[in-house]
Amino acid sequence: MIINEIKEIIKFFINYFPGQSGKFLRRIFYQNRLASIGKNFTTGLGIIINYPKNIYVGDNCKLARFSSLHSCIKSKIKIGNNVSINRNSEINSCNGGSILIGNDVIIATNVVIIASNHIFKNKDKLIKDSGHKGGKIIIGNNVWIGSNAVILKDVSIGDGAVIGAGCIVRKDVKNNEIFSN
């Protein structure tokens, strides 16, 4: 128990250490923890990466301040090359989900990409006790996801698509489509 607390304290220190030294420490720290990590992976202050062994990151990727990557035992996140994930964004594949992000993708501030949802069909059971169902999200190449967008499970976003700020995406988006709702 005390060993786990020491590990969490070290992780907290590394994730919140400021400046270039902090970026360097985070790169070294996650280099051997992520399933794979490309060249020039940079992170901002206060990031959260859970279950890194199921997270793959390509070359030239940036994870900005207070952003998070959440994976778990039966889930996966794969991020292509030249991907920018801006402040306070969350990518969550927990509960059996899978998220695949192509190359040259821009994810703006406060975006949520979540590949699972609560099960709520049984009216005789509390939603919180009903479990989750994982799904798959595929984001193509050269995609721009605007601020405060939410991408839900079982969605495919085609190459060159633009997702408008504040959109909730729960159906497929075609190549080069400008999606707004």
Side-chain angles (χ1 to χ4, degrees):
M1 186 153 116
I2 192 79
I3 292 173
N4 285 336
E5 284 188 35
I6 292 169
K7 286 179 182 178
E8 287 300 313
I9 290 168
I10 291 169
K11 187 175 169 183
F12 177 85
F13 174 76
I14 289 170
N15 285 337
Y16 284 91
F17 199 87
Q20 293 301 319
S21 298
K23 287 180 181 180
F24 175 76
L25 283 173
R26 286 185 288 279
R27 169 125 180 115
I28 298 302
F29 182 74
Y30 286 111
Q31 191 158 10
N32 294 321
R33 286 168 178 76
L34 292 170
S36 71
I37 185 171
K39 297 180 289 190
N40 303 318
F41 175 59
T42 59
T43 60
L45 179 66
I47 64 159
I48 298 170
I49 298 178
N50 290 325
Y51 214 85
K53 289 294 179 196
N54 285 351
I55 299 174
Y56 305 77
V57 179
D59 294 336
N60 307 311
C61 291
K62 296 175 186 168
L63 184 61
R65 289 178 175 223
F66 308 114
S67 291
S68 57
L69 303 175
H70 297 285
S71 185
C72 54
I73 293 170
K74 295 182 179 177
S75 64
K76 168 174 81 168
I77 297 172
K78 188 171 183 185
I79 300 170
N81 298 322
N82 309 310
V83 174
S84 177
I85 301 168
N86 277 294
R87 278 175 277 150
N88 203 42
S89 291
E90 177 177 346
I91 299 174
N92 187 330
S93 68
C94 285
N95 301 304
S98 173
I99 298 173
L100 306 172
I101 299 174
N103 298 321
D104 305 301
V105 173
I106 302 168
I107 298 171
T109 305
N110 298 321
V111 169
V112 175
I113 301 171
I114 188 160
S116 69
N117 201 353
H118 291 275
I119 298 169
F120 54 88
K121 290 185 179 184
N122 185 345
K123 305 289 185 214
D124 298 325
K125 205 171 192 182
L126 294 173
I127 294 170
K128 70 179 183 78
D129 296 332
S130 297
H132 296 84
K133 182 169 179 167
K136 189 172 190 175
I137 296 172
I138 300 172
I139 299 171
N141 298 317
N142 189 35
V143 171
W144 175 23
I145 302 172
S147 295
N148 300 304
V150 177
I151 314 295
L152 299 174
K153 72 181 188 85
D154 298 327
V155 164
S156 180
I157 298 174
D159 294 343
V162 175
I163 307 301
C167 287
I168 298 173
V169 181
R170 54 182 191 232
K171 63 177 187 167
D172 290 349
V173 177
K174 296 176 184 167
N175 289 347
N176 303 306
E177 181 178 348
I178 298 174
F179 183 88
S180 65
N181 57 9

